[in-house]
């Protein structure tokens, strides 16, 4: 599709070029000129032969007012009576009127102050067929203009370009092309700059720290207003007032441009800002008090100074970007450097180092460069927003993680505090039991005359000591626990005339049991031995212990009568079986009971270490 579009464009360009080449157009470059404010060409005045284009700054320097031009022509060959002829004038500054064979046929607007300013606008004048003669047609053109010394730029000084007479259809194409590049392009750019500038100013209001957005938005809006001097011809101001307004308006525009480049480079200098503000006041004051004939000279001195300021800020900005943000150097160097080149071209035209262009780069190219910089800023701002969104999401994740960690730490600290308080209370209770209840039970053991009471007190004392050991919370070496359990079981079974066979693992045991596991296991083992002594009628009891990486196992087996049939299926209701299983469950372990009449009973206890 792109290739086809390019081919269509080339074909259209060739058609226009061939059509222009085949047009039977006359080009008039030699005329008679008279300086006069008369309503018609002064036939009695001494006319001077003049070559077009006529620049008043060279042919009649210092002249302000009206100049009459007279040209004679014959109707071009090949033009029929019904064919419409037209006169094309590329430039007539500031305004003009056209007379054909003594009849006025066209006026560009007001010819007196405040006059219409058409310096940047091409003129297309239809030549009525009823007024045309086959030969010796007289074309009189009155141009109202200003001396170069009374305006700020050479493009608004008085003058007249070459004249072209030919078929209206062909010259209309040429006129449309010229007006598009000189006027329409400037209008489109002004509208675009206004929209973009307003958007950037809104962004700068939201993001106060990004000061460069404010300066660039003001620059775009200011240049859009300055472009009115090109495409709006009907200013209600006289020439001096108009030129003073335009020159004064350049000062704040250049000021915000300098501030933009400095701010975009991360530099903020109050002295520079103060100097630029002072310059905005000095320029209109100096132009206002300067002699009328020195206006052009003084205005261009100020233009040169502002150009130096702008180019210096661009160079300074590019130097800093090259050092610190080299990735941004080349895109900005091409656009900002292009701005500097356009400014230098404009100065070269003003000082006549280069000829004046039909389409001024300052009016067409500079807005395009500003749009390029604006698009670059929007692109970077979009990337910054995207990065900010990513950072915001990351920050939210980090906040959530930190919040979860704080909550976890708080929960751990609370649990630790509760554990500390609980531990302290346990130790207090254990001390009270040991010092008070233990002492009293021990007194009963040694002073009681009743053997039963003494035995019960001794058992209560042992149970109290076991409880105190559990309350203190000190871990117990597994080897020590097995030794204590073995001594107690063998002693109790021996007192009941039951042979005890206790065997531990042959390896050296390094594991530890928590106080809680030790106490509960001790009570389970005591309950199992008590059941054997009281209910089994056994003569032999086998105890085996086992240890692996995660579990501790205990097996107690007797050769007694086993559990009676009437209790089968109801093991949890008798012989302390339910308490044994409940204690094992509290330790996240299990206690299994296997029994049958005449086969004895087997208790398997498995507890995680």
């Amino acid at each position: 599709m792109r290739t086809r579009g390019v081919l269509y464009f080339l074909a259209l360009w060739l058609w226009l070029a061939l059509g222009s080449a085949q047009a039977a157009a006359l080009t008039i470059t030699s005329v008679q000129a008279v300086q006069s404010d008369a309503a018609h060409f002064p036939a009695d005045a001494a006319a001077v032969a003049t070559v077009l284009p006529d620049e008043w700054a060279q042919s009649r320097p210092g002249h302000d007012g009206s100049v009459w031009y007279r040209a004679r022509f014959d109707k071009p060959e090949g033009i029929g009576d019904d064919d419409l002829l037209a006169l094309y004038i590329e430039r007539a500054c500031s305004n003009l009127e056209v007379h054909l064979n003594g009849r006025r046929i066209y006026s560009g607007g007001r010819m007196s102050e405040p006059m219409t300013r058409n310096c940047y606008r091409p003129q297309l004048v239809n030549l009525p067929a009823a007024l045309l003669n086959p030969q010796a047609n007289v074309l009189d053109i009155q141009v109202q203009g200003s001396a170069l010394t009374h305006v700020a730029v050479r493009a608004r000084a008085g003058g007249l370009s070459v004249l072209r007479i030919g078929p209206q259809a062909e010259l209309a194409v040429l006129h449309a092309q010229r007006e598009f590049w000189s006027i329409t392009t400037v209008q489109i750019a002004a509208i675009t700059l206004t929209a973009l500038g307003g958007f950037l100013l809104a962004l700068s209001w939201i993001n106060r720290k990004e000061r460069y957005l404010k300066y660039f938005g003001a620059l775009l809006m200011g240049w859009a207003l300055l472009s009115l001097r090109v495409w709006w011809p009907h200013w209600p101001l006289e020439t001096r007032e108009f030129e003073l307004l335009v020159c004064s308006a350049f000062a704040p525009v250049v000021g915000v441009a300098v501030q933009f480049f400095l701010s975009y480079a991360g530099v903020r200098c109050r002295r520079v800002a103060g100097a630029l503000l002072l310059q905005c006041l000095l320029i209109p004051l100096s132009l206002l008090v300067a002699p009328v004939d020195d206006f052009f000279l003084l205005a261009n001195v100020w233009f040169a100074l502002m150009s130096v300021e702008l180019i210096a800020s661009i160079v300074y900005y590019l130097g800093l970007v090259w050092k610190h943000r080299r990735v941004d150097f080349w895109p900005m160097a091409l656009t900002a450097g292009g701005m500097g080149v356009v400014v230098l071209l404009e100065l070269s035209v003003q000082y006549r180092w280069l000829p004046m262009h039909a389409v001024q780069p300052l009016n067409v190219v500079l807005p395009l460069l500003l749009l390029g910089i604006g698009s670059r800023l929007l692109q970077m701002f979009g990337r910054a927003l995207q990065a900010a969104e990513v950072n915001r999401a990351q920050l939210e994740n980090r906040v959530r993680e930190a919040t979860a960690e704080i909550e976890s730490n708080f929960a751990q600290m609370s649990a630790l505090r509760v554990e500390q308080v609980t531990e302290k209370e346990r130790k207090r209770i254990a001390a009270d039991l040991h010092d008070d209840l233990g002492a009293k039970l021990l007194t009963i053991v040694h002073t009681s005359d009743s053997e039963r009471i003494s035995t019960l007190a001794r058992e209560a004392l042992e149970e109290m000591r076991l409880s105190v050991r559990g309350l203190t919370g000190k871990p117990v070496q597994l080897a020590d626990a097995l030794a204590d359990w073995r001594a107690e079981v063998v002693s109790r079974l021996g007192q009941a005339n039951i042979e005890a066979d206790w065997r531990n693992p042959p390896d050296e045991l390094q594991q530890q049991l928590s106080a809680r596991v030790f106490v509960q296991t001790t009570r389970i083992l005591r309950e199992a031995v008590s059941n054997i002594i009281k209910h089994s009628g056994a003569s032999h009891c086998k105890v085996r212990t086992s240890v692996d990486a995660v579990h501790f196992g205990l097996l107690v087996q007797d050769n007694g009568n086993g559990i009676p049939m009437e209790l089968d299926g109801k093991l949890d209701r008798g012989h302390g079986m339910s308490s044994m299983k409940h204690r094992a469950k509290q330790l996240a372990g299990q206690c299994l009971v296997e029994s049958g009449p005449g086969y004895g009973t087997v208790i398997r206890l498995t507890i995680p270490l």
Side-chain angles (χ1 to χ4, degrees), residues 47 118 155 164 178 216-217 236 259 273 284 331 357:
N118 287 316
R164 294 184 182 179
R178 174 73 165 80
F216 194 73
Q259 286 288 71
H357 309 284

Side-chain angles (χ1 to χ4, degrees), residues 244-259 262 270-288 298-313:
L244 180 63
L245 175 63
V246 172
C247 292
S248 301
F250 267 95
V253 172
V254 173
V256 294
V258 172
Q259 286 288 71
L262 294 180
R270 293 185 177 180
R271 291 183 178 180
V272 173
L276 293 173
L277 182 60
L278 180 62
Q279 180 176 262
C280 293
L281 299 175
L282 289 178
I283 289 179
L285 289 177
S286 62
L287 294 174
L288 189 61
L298 184 58
N300 279 273
V301 169
W302 280 116
F303 285 153
L305 178 60
M306 289 187 288
S307 300
V308 171
E309 295 171 358
L310 179 61
I311 294 174
S313 65

Side-chain angles (χ1 to χ4, degrees), residues 3-19:
T3 304
R4 186 179 298 176
V6 172
L7 291 176
Y8 286 159
F9 175 78
L10 291 177
L12 177 60
W13 181 82
L14 289 174
W15 179 80
L16 292 175
L18 292 174

Side-chain angles (χ1 to χ4, degrees), residues 46-278:
V48 178
T50 303
V51 177
L52 299 180
D54 180 26
E55 298 295 332
W56 291 10
Q58 301 176 21
S59 61
R60 45 186 58 82
H63 176 68
D64 247 349
S66 176
V67 176
W68 279 94
Y69 296 90
R70 170 164 286 185
R72 300 180 185 274
F73 69 96
D74 297 332
K75 188 175 181 180
E77 297 180 0
I79 300 298
D81 295 336
D82 295 332
D83 294 335
L84 182 61
L85 287 178
L87 167 66
Y88 173 70
I89 305 173
E90 187 175 78
R91 176 178 178 270
C93 189
S94 293
N95 195 21
L96 83 165
E97 286 186 353
V98 180
H99 296 248
L100 177 61
N101 293 327
R103 299 285 298 273
R104 189 176 73 169
I105 61 172
Y106 178 81
S107 176
R110 295 189 302 267
M111 295 291 288
S112 59
E113 295 287 5
M115 60 182 170
T116 303
R117 294 174 174 83
N118 287 316
C119 297
Y120 301 98
R121 189 182 299 271
Q123 305 291 331
L124 183 65
V125 182
N126 293 328
L127 301 179
L131 298 179
L132 282 173
N133 302 319
Q135 294 179 344
N137 292 286
V138 178
L139 184 67
D140 294 331
I141 300 174
Q142 183 186 16
V143 176
Q144 189 77 18
S146 302
L148 178 62
T149 56
H150 298 167
V151 295
V153 294
R154 192 173 296 275
R156 290 197 292 272
L160 180 66
S161 66
V162 297
L163 308 177
R164 294 184 182 179
I165 298 176
Q168 194 274 346
E170 296 178 2
L171 293 180
V173 173
L174 184 62
H175 174 266
Q177 293 174 348
R178 174 73 165 80
E179 187 169 33
F180 174 79
W181 290 110
S182 299
I183 305 298
T184 308
T185 303
V186 178
Q187 292 175 328
I188 295 173
I191 296 173
T192 308
L193 292 177
T194 302
L196 182 58
F199 180 71
L200 291 177
L201 288 177
L203 286 182
S204 69
W205 178 261
I206 298 173
N207 302 272
R208 302 290 181 86
K209 294 182 179 180
E210 307 296 341
R211 299 174 61 87
Y212 64 89
L213 293 176
K214 175 182 67 177
Y215 290 124
F216 194 73
L219 172 59
L220 297 184
M221 299 287 284
W223 188 260
L225 290 175
L226 270 178
S227 65
L228 287 172
R229 77 194 192 283
V230 175
W231 59 269
W232 180 257
H234 306 293
W235 286 81
L237 300 173
E238 295 187 1
T239 299
R240 182 170 175 80
E241 296 170 350
F242 175 78
E243 295 295 331
L244 180 63
L245 175 63
V246 172
C247 292
S248 301
F250 267 95
V253 172
V254 173
V256 294
V258 172
Q259 286 288 71
F260 161 70
F261 284 109
L262 294 180
S263 177
Y264 198 45
V267 177
R268 186 177 182 182
C269 182
R270 293 185 177 180
R271 291 183 178 180
V272 173
L276 293 173
L277 182 60
L278 180 62

Side-chain angles (χ1 to χ4, degrees), residues 339-353:
M339 291 177 60
V341 172
V342 170
V343 171
L344 290 177
L345 286 175
E346 182 66 19
L347 286 177
S348 300
V349 171
Q350 297 308 314
Y351 289 99
R352 295 191 61 191
W353 299 332

